[in-house]
Amino acid sequence: MPRPRFRIGADDWFDALDWIDYQLSQPTWLLAEQHPIHHYGLATFKEQCRAFRDVTEPGQGHCDDLQAILNEILERSDWDRLRKTLSARRRRRREKRTNQGPVNLTLSGQAHQWLKQLAQAGQYSTLSEALEQLLPDVVAQLEADLQAERASAIEAELQRWPQDRLLTAIEAYLAKAADERSLATACRIAYQWYQREPDNTKAALLRERFIEDLVWNEAHLKRPAADFLSDF
């Protein structure tokens, strides 16, 4: 397998395991009969992941063990997606560390009253504590809702496209992704499957993965889907 361009560290441990759990819940690896995970052993890998979950304080040795396994079973597109996920998580942790100082805000009287009620209802000692504890979940849900909304909108548009038009757009996107390495490429393997054996199931999976890439680019790179669709 291609060597990864980064090393998994202790700070990445749980994020990497979360990413693996999500991938195992999807049909992508299961349907790809030639994916290296099948040569390694899907059941074996799942068992090792369960053992890794028992590690509460990972050291570099644990990370090296996980890295060695992933080196054997991940394809280039898998590494690209894992790298993007871990990079986004690292960036969020870094931003959190650099935003620890107090900030003065001007609130309306009504907003201040709602914050006081929020803190009291949650039994938080300060308004800041209430916001720090409650807002991350609220923001995450809003982001998830927005991404789901964008996925539905893009899906509605692409449903009107004939298959040859969609394939042309996907091929152009993958060509661009080869030069712009930050772009998501979850659709690459689905495209290869479709090329080998085109049918309705693989066509639907290809469209789904392409939409996933477009939404990811919008959310994390601020690249509108129109950048990759408007020429077609």
Side-chain angles (χ1 to χ4, degrees), residues 85-225:
T85 297
L86 295 184
S87 295
R89 298 289 182 87
R90 288 173 179 175
R91 185 170 59 252
R92 289 179 183 176
R93 289 196 297 269
R94 185 168 59 250
E95 290 172 351
K96 185 176 181 180
R97 287 195 299 268
T98 57
N99 291 323
Q100 295 299 314
V103 177
N104 293 323
L105 294 176
T106 300
L107 299 175
S108 68
Q110 186 176 21
H112 184 257
Q113 185 60 36
W114 276 115
L115 284 178
K116 287 176 61 178
Q117 292 185 37
L118 180 68
Q120 291 170 359
Q123 297 184 329
Y124 296 107
S125 58
T126 65
L127 300 184
S128 291
E129 183 185 4
L131 293 175
E132 290 169 3
Q133 294 298 319
L134 298 175
L135 280 187
D137 288 341
V138 173
V139 171
Q141 185 60 56
L142 290 173
E143 290 177 342
D145 291 345
L146 178 59
Q147 291 179 33
E149 181 180 319
R150 286 297 299 140
S152 296
I154 297 171
E155 168 75 16
E157 178 179 352
L158 296 186
Q159 285 283 8
R160 298 192 295 267
W161 286 27
Q163 186 66 8
D164 58 346
R165 181 184 178 189
L166 178 61
L167 287 175
T168 300
I170 292 174
E171 289 166 355
Y173 173 81
L174 289 174
K176 184 172 292 188
D179 295 326
E180 298 184 39
R181 302 301 299 278
S182 60
L183 296 175
T185 54
C187 68
R188 179 181 289 135
I189 292 179
Y191 175 70
Q192 293 170 352
W193 294 344
Y194 180 83
Q195 281 188 310
R196 289 198 299 266
E197 189 178 352
D199 57 35
N200 290 336
T201 299
K202 292 184 178 62
L205 181 62
L206 175 57
R207 184 173 61 249
E208 177 184 319
R209 289 292 180 266
F210 184 43
I211 293 170
E212 177 185 314
D213 286 343
L214 295 176
V215 172
W216 192 95
N217 293 334
E218 286 192 343
H220 299 282
L221 304 180
K222 309 306 178 186
R223 294 286 300 275

Side-chain angles (χ1 to χ4, degrees), residues 62-73:
H62 297 106
C63 297
D64 290 344
D65 290 342
L66 176 59
Q67 183 99 30
I69 294 173
L70 296 183
N71 286 347
E72 291 190 44
I73 68 170

